[in-house]
Amino acid sequence: LLASVGKRADLRIETTPMLVASVDKSELLHALVNLVVNAKDAMPLPRGKIVVRLRLPTASELAESPNASAVLEVEDDGPGI
């Protein structure tokens, strides 16, 4: 992921200790790289911030998706659409 961001943004990764999820590694990496590259491309110059966060679902998220074991978020400080 760091190579995808380069010097255009600061990348921070936040995870929850002991979080376990069953995923296809290549699909997850492909999706994550796409999200991070899109966020980087929308960054204001000279430098922005991208946060990749893996956390436990909240009670309301579990109510909507009872089988969810993790939530993956990508957040940036770009201007949006």
Side-chain angles (χ1 to χ4, degrees):
L1 286 178
L2 286 174
S4 300
V5 172
K7 296 181 180 182
R8 286 265 318 262
D10 294 318
L11 178 65
R12 187 171 77 216
I13 299 176
E14 300 175 356
T15 61
T16 301
M18 303 301 292
L19 182 63
V20 178
S22 177
V23 298
D24 181 294
K25 289 180 187 179
S26 62
E27 286 184 18
L28 176 62
L29 182 59
H30 182 76
L32 214 70
V33 167
N34 282 336
L35 288 168
V36 168
V37 167
N38 288 342
K40 175 202 66 161
D41 290 345
M43 285 290 117
L45 293 176
R47 196 171 184 99
K49 179 177 74 173
I50 300 171
V51 179
V52 176
R53 186 176 298 113
L54 183 63
R55 63 173 176 78
L56 294 169
T58 63
S60 62
E61 290 167 334
L62 282 172
E64 292 178 24
S65 300
N67 295 327
S69 60
V71 175
L72 179 65
E73 300 171 323
V74 177
E75 177 184 324
D76 65 71
D77 63 354
I81 295 176

